[in-house]
Amino acid sequence: MYPRLSVDLLKVTHNTRTLVAMAREKGIGVYGVTKVHYGHPGITEAMVKGGIEGIADSRMENLEAMGDYGIPRMLLRLPMLSEASRVVAGADISLNSEMATIKALGRAAVKQGKIHQIILMIDLGDLREGIEPRDVHVFVPEIMKTEGIELLGIGVNLTCYGGVIPDEGNLGELAAIAGEVQKRHGVSLKVVSGGNSSSLYLLKGDFPKGINQLRLGEGIVLGRETTKGDPIPGTYQDAFILEAELIEVKEKDSYPRGTIGMDAFGNRPTYVDKGRMKRGILAVGRQDVVPEGLTPFDSGIEVIGASSDHTILDLTPSGNAYEVGDILRFRLSYGALLALSTSAYVTVHTG
Ligand SMILES: *Cc1c(COP(=O)(O)O)cnc(C)c1O
C-alpha cells in the first residue's frame, strides 16, 4: 500500500537513547514529543524504550489514543478554555499562560478529584506563547492559590515561530526567573523547561545552568538539531522515510506549452527551458506531503513540483532506468513528516 511512511523503530529507540544520554549528562530530563508522528502507539513505545521521562503532545486526541506507559503525559499547546476538563482527564501536565484557563483547569481538577500540574510559560522573545517576564510575580501567587493546581515549574518555547535561538542569554534569564520565583514566593519549582530541539546544540558545550528539562520531537525522529538543521552525531536521519510509487514515466518537454496562468494553488509558476527531460509522476501530492521537504535517496532525481495528488520529478540525471510501478524512497523534512503522518491517504509501516 503506497504512499507509505516507513518507520524503523530500532532507529527511533536508538535516537531517543542517544539524546536522553546527552541530556542526562547535563542534568536534563527529556520529554518525548509525539505530535509529529500523530501519536502513533508503536513509535511512542519506541521512544519510551529509549528512556524518555514523559510523553508530550500538542493535541488531546493524540494523548487520549495512547496506551498507558506509566510515565506522565504533557499537553504542549496551551489548553483551550473549552477543553479544560478533557485536559485534566487525559493529561497530567499542561503548559499555560492564561489565568482564566488555569482557573478552569483547577475547577475541573477539583471535580475529578485530581491535582493538575502546570508549567507556566514565559515569552522570552520568540513571540509565540507565554507571559512577559515582568508579569511572573503577578501570576505565581494567583496560581499558588488556585485549588486543584500545582505549579510544577516554568518553561519557554523558542524558535518555532520567531526563529529566536536559545542561548545563555534567554535560557539564563529563564533560570534566573526560576530562582527569583522560588525565593520571593517560597515555592519549589521542580521543572525549568528549556525548550525544544533547537536547544540541542547547546548540549555540546556548557548548557545554561538551572535548566532541567527539554521537550524533544524533531531531534529524536529526524536526528537533527533545528537551529541550523545539522545532523546530531550518533543519530539516524532516516528513521522515517517516504516510499511512493511512479504512475507515469515519460520523456517530455521541460517548458509547458500554451499560455501560463495560475497553478492549482493560485501561484503563477515560472519555468526554465532545459529541453527534453525524463519526467516521472509519483502518486503522492500536497494533500499528503510538503514536496519541498523530500530528499530522494537517488541523488540523480529532482523534485520539480507538485499538485494536490501528484509529485513531478526530473529523472534525467539518474543512472537508473525507472519504470511505472517502481517505488522511490525519500528522506523527510519536519514539515513533510508531519503532513505524511496525518494524511488519511498514507499507510504507516513500522518495522
Ligand atoms: C512542538 C513542540 C515541542 C517540540 O519541538 P521539536 O522542535 O520537534 O523538538 C516542544 N515544545 C512545544 C511547546 C512544542 O509545541
Side-chain angles (χ1 to χ4, degrees):
M1 290 271 280
Y2 299 97
R4 185 160 97 166
L5 177 63
S6 234
V7 191
D8 185 328
L9 296 178
L10 291 176
K11 288 183 178 176
V12 173
T13 300
H14 172 91
N15 283 3
T16 312
R17 216 169 257 150
T18 305
L19 294 184
V20 164
M22 279 167 62
R24 188 178 293 141
E25 252 179 60
K26 312 277 169 167
I28 295 168
V30 171
Y31 265 62
V33 174
T34 52
K35 67 189 182 204
V36 72
H37 56 69
Y38 199 30
H40 186 285
I43 304 168
T44 304
E45 202 178 316
M47 291 167 79
V48 173
K49 274 189 198 150
I52 54 173
E53 202 165 87
I55 294 165
D57 203 294
S58 47
R59 311 272 175 161
M60 281 313 301
E61 288 83 348
N62 293 357
L63 290 177
E64 286 164 355
M66 270 171 207
D68 183 8
Y69 300 101
I71 53 177
R73 290 156 194 249
M74 176 191 286
L75 178 66
L76 289 173
R77 189 172 65 185
L78 307 180
M80 290 183 264
L81 197 50
S82 61
E83 66 177 347
S85 76
R86 188 176 180 186
V87 171
V88 168
D92 305 294
I93 308 163
S94 60
L95 309 184
N96 284 275
S97 71
E98 290 286 352
M99 217 44 236
T101 309
I102 296 168
K103 285 185 174 154
L105 291 167
R107 284 192 298 273
V110 169
K111 226 184 242 167
Q112 294 175 34
K114 289 184 171 174
I115 300 289
H116 183 72
Q117 298 178 312
I118 68 161
I119 294 177
L120 178 63
M121 295 301 277
I122 320 282
D123 188 338
L124 296 175
D126 200 56
L127 300 181
R128 204 178 75 178
E129 73 274 47
I131 64 169
E132 299 207 306
R134 59 161 180 247
D135 295 328
V136 166
H137 301 293
V138 180
F139 271 76
V140 167
E142 278 285 300
I143 294 167
M144 287 171 67
K145 65 179 194 232
T146 306
E147 218 186 317
I149 295 293
E150 179 192 343
L151 179 60
L152 185 64
I154 63 172
V156 69
N157 196 65
L158 294 162
T159 329
C160 284
Y161 168 71
V164 172
I165 292 175
D167 55 23
E168 182 61 47
N170 44 38
L171 292 189
E173 187 181 349
L174 184 71
I177 293 170
E180 232 174 87
V181 164
Q182 312 206 66
K183 210 158 63 189
R184 224 160 115 177
H185 304 285
V187 57
S188 106
L189 300 179
K190 296 193 185 97
V191 171
V192 183
S193 192
N196 53 54
S197 298
S198 67
S199 296
L200 280 170
Y201 85 99
L202 291 166
L203 290 173
K204 278 189 295 200
D206 294 327
F207 201 92
K209 283 194 180 38
I211 307 295
N212 63 9
Q213 180 185 88
L214 290 177
R215 313 174 302 268
L216 302 179
E218 182 164 354
I220 292 175
V221 294
L222 294 177
R224 275 198 289 264
E225 66 84 40
T226 55
T227 58
K228 289 190 239 138
D230 289 341
I232 300 164
T235 64
Y236 296 101
Q237 284 72 54
D238 59 355
F240 291 73
I241 63 169
L242 167 65
E243 296 171 296
E245 183 168 343
L246 281 168
I247 51 171
E248 185 184 288
V249 179
K250 288 190 193 305
E251 195 181 292
K252 293 190 189 180
D253 292 339
S254 49
Y255 198 86
R257 192 148 53 85
T259 309
I260 297 171
M262 285 193 308
D263 70 11
F265 288 84
N267 306 307
R268 195 168 292 270
T270 53
Y271 300 95
V272 182
D273 193 350
K274 296 187 193 166
R276 301 285 283 176
M277 57 163 61
K278 188 173 176 190
R279 299 168 71 96
I281 301 179
L282 285 175
V284 67
R286 291 199 186 274
Q287 271 200 84
D288 319 296
V289 73
V290 179
E292 294 74 18
L294 294 177
T295 307
F297 273 73
D298 178 349
S299 58
I301 296 177
E302 193 191 343
V303 178
I304 55 176
S307 56
S308 345
D309 311 291
H310 302 76
T311 298
I312 323 288
L313 309 172
D314 178 4
L315 303 171
T316 319
S318 172
N320 298 314
Y322 290 113
E323 292 173 3
V324 165
D326 283 350
I327 306 301
L328 300 185
R329 300 162 74 232
F330 300 84
R331 288 197 174 81
L332 304 169
S333 70
Y334 184 83
L337 173 56
L338 183 68
L340 285 165
S341 59
T342 51
S343 168
Y345 304 104
V346 175
T347 313
V348 179
H349 177 264
T350 57

